[in-house]
């Protein structure tokens, strides 16, 4: 008989369930994470991602600029969380492939070396690369779907009583169903303590033709693994009960921009929209 420790198990060494094997790497179909990596000038992408990316740039020429502005926003927001609000625990949901120009781990640890960071993504290549760089007592990668938020929050790195900075940058479009987004935000609010902050950005387009063309292209290229662009009003509605820090929900290139950084986003057809908000009403604590 096979000894118990040699038998296959659906659990990792940290006791958490892994995604099923149907989520294995498919180099012939584009993926959200790898296409984003290509837009940002990375190398962790395949021909299918580059072809889908080139078509995306035809439909939306500002896509690469938007991706860059989103990274810069994530970096600025992470600094504000750790330096300005004393956050020592970060949860990056839909963390993507490692991005050396906006490395949340390096940014946070440069300010406070004791910060803990859990990087979560459903993309197998994003998980593999992230894990190859981060696998210590402070920073871990986790292969999981955001719909499984309760298992994610049970990860041993997450200390239940510690105010947490949740990063949800350019990832909520992966949950096309508003009920799933509302449930995710609700569970974060229920499970994380007051003082926790949410960093959120989301692709929005009020022009229905643009919204439909990009959403359709991304879903066709990724075999339905993408989701959807929302309108600005839809995002405002999803985040209506969250109290944002100044300057509120804005085009992210306008969120506390670095004075010495060049041009702000000027594109009209769509925007990366977001901000930083309290998970609980600030007067409640
Ligand atoms: C556009 S990339 C953004 C990466 C990074 N957050 C950033 O701001 O640069 C979106 C990431 O979210 C991940 N993602 C989308 N939906 C997800 C889901 N339901 N569960 C886990 N990860 C998801 C994708 O795999 C991808 O890596």
């Amino acid at each position: 008989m096979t000894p118990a420790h040699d038998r296959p198990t659906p659990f990792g060494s940290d006791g958490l369930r892994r995604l099923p094997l149907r989520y294995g790497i498919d180099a012939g179909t584009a993926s959200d994470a790898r296409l984003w990596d290509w837009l940002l000038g990375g190398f962790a992408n395949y021909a299918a991602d580059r072809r889908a990316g080139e078509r995306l740039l035809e439909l939306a020429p500002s896509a690469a600029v938007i991706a860059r502005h989103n990274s810069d926003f994530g970096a600025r927001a992470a600094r504000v969380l750790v330096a300005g609000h004393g956050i020592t625990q970060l949860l990056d949901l839909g963390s993507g492939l490692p991005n050396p120009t906006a490395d949340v781990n390096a940014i946070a640890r440069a300010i406070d070396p004791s910060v803990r960071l859990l990087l979560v993504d459903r993309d197998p290549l994003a998980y593999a690369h992230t894990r190859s760089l981060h696998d210590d007592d402070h920073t871990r990668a986790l292969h999981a779907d955001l719909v499984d938020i309760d298992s994610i929050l049970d990860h041993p790195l997450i200390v239940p009583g510690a105010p947490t900075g949740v990063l949800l940058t350019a990832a909520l479009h992966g949950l096309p169903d508003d009920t799933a987004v509302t449930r995710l935000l609700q569970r974060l609010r229920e499970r994380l303590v007051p003082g926790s902050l949410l960093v959120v950005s989301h692709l929005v387009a009020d022009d229905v033709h643009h919204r439909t063309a990009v959403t359709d292209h991304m879903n066709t290229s990724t075999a339905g693994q993408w989701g959807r662009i929302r309108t600005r009003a839809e995002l405002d509605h999803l985040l209506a009960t969250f109290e944002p820090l100044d300057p509120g929900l804005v085009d992210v290139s306008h969120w506390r921009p670095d004075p010495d950084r060049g041009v702000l986003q000027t594109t009209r057809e769509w925007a990366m929209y977001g901000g930083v908000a309290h998970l609980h009403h600030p007067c409640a604590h």
Side-chain angles (χ1 to χ4, degrees), residues 32-33 36 70 94-96 121-123 144-146 169-171 173-175:
D32 183 7
W36 199 248
N70 178 68
S95 48
D121 208 287
R122 71 176 171 187
D123 185 278
D145 196 302
L146 302 188
T169 54
H173 61 247
L175 298 178

Side-chain angles (χ1 to χ4, degrees), residues 19 23 31-37 39-40 67 70-71 73-74 92-97 99 102 120-124 126 142-148 152 167-176 201 203 225-226 272:
L19 287 170
Y23 283 94
S31 97
D32 183 7
R34 298 179 335 228
L35 195 153
W36 199 248
D37 173 75
L39 282 175
L40 288 168
N70 178 68
S71 295
F73 161 68
D92 194 345
L93 298 175
S95 48
L97 280 145
N99 173 2
V120 184
D121 208 287
R122 71 176 171 187
D123 185 278
L142 179 67
H143 190 206
D145 196 302
L146 302 188
V147 294
D148 231 351
I152 294 170
L167 306 175
L168 260 172
T169 54
L172 279 180
H173 61 247
L175 298 178
S201 65
L203 280 171
Q225 285 293 306
W226 200 69
M272 189 63 85

Side-chain angles (χ1 to χ4, degrees), residues 36 62-71 203 252 265 267 270-272:
W36 199 248
S62 55
V65 175
I66 281 199
R68 175 60 53 210
H69 280 304
N70 178 68
S71 295
L203 280 171
V252 296
Q265 190 171 305
T267 174
W270 63 345
M272 189 63 85

Side-chain angles (χ1 to χ4, degrees), residues 3-284:
H5 61 270
D6 285 346
R7 280 187 217 132
T9 160
F11 296 97
S13 55
D14 51 11
L16 286 170
R17 188 163 58 79
R18 291 288 178 272
L19 287 170
L21 283 176
R22 67 190 167 85
Y23 283 94
I25 295 168
D26 175 0
T29 305
S31 97
D32 183 7
R34 298 179 335 228
L35 195 153
W36 199 248
D37 173 75
W38 179 77
L39 282 175
L40 288 168
F43 295 98
N45 48 74
Y46 297 100
D49 305 306
R50 299 190 283 276
R51 272 197 303 275
E54 275 155 17
R55 176 69 188 132
L56 175 64
L57 288 175
E58 286 169 18
L59 291 170
S62 55
V65 175
I66 281 199
R68 175 60 53 210
H69 280 304
N70 178 68
S71 295
D72 291 349
F73 161 68
R76 293 195 302 277
R79 257 180 229 115
V80 167
L81 259 49
V82 180
H85 292 265
I87 292 284
T88 55
Q89 173 164 284
L90 291 166
L91 179 59
D92 194 345
L93 298 175
S95 48
L97 280 145
N99 173 2
T101 64
D103 179 344
V104 173
N105 186 57
I107 290 165
R109 298 274 281 273
I111 301 167
D112 178 352
S114 73
V115 167
R116 292 181 309 285
L117 167 65
L118 184 63
L119 297 142
V120 184
D121 208 287
R122 71 176 171 187
D123 185 278
L125 194 66
Y127 166 68
H129 278 282
T130 304
R131 185 171 176 185
S132 74
L133 291 177
H134 305 297
D135 198 10
D136 59 34
D137 289 347
H138 287 273
T139 310
R140 284 282 165 94
L142 179 67
H143 190 206
D145 196 302
L146 302 188
V147 294
D148 231 351
I149 188 63
D150 279 295
S151 306
I152 294 170
L153 291 169
D154 285 341
H155 191 280
L157 199 79
I158 300 295
V159 175
T164 306
V166 180
L167 306 175
L168 260 172
T169 54
L172 279 180
H173 61 247
L175 298 178
D177 175 6
D178 281 359
T179 315
V181 175
T182 305
R183 183 182 169 277
L184 169 67
L185 298 176
Q186 184 60 27
R187 289 307 288 149
L188 288 168
R189 188 174 255 169
E190 285 165 1
R191 297 256 333 240
L192 297 173
V193 295
S196 298
L197 290 158
L198 176 70
V199 177
V200 65
S201 65
H202 197 302
L203 280 171
V204 295
D206 290 335
D207 177 320
V208 64
H209 298 295
H210 187 78
R211 200 166 64 242
T212 311
V214 174
T215 296
D216 288 352
H217 165 63
M218 291 303 297
N219 275 309
T220 306
S221 316
T222 61
Q225 285 293 306
W226 200 69
R228 71 185 178 98
I229 298 182
R230 288 182 164 84
T231 63
R232 211 171 287 243
E234 281 178 303
L235 198 67
D236 284 337
H237 180 70
L238 286 168
L239 298 173
T241 61
F242 293 86
E243 182 83 24
L245 306 186
D246 280 345
L249 294 180
V250 291
D251 176 326
V252 296
S253 67
H254 292 259
W255 195 89
R256 305 191 187 186
D258 288 333
D260 54 351
R261 192 84 164 88
V263 205
L264 299 179
Q265 190 171 305
T266 51
T267 174
R268 291 200 175 177
E269 72 270 25
W270 63 345
M272 189 63 85
Y273 181 63
V276 180
H278 294 278
L279 261 186
H280 304 85
H281 199 280
C283 297

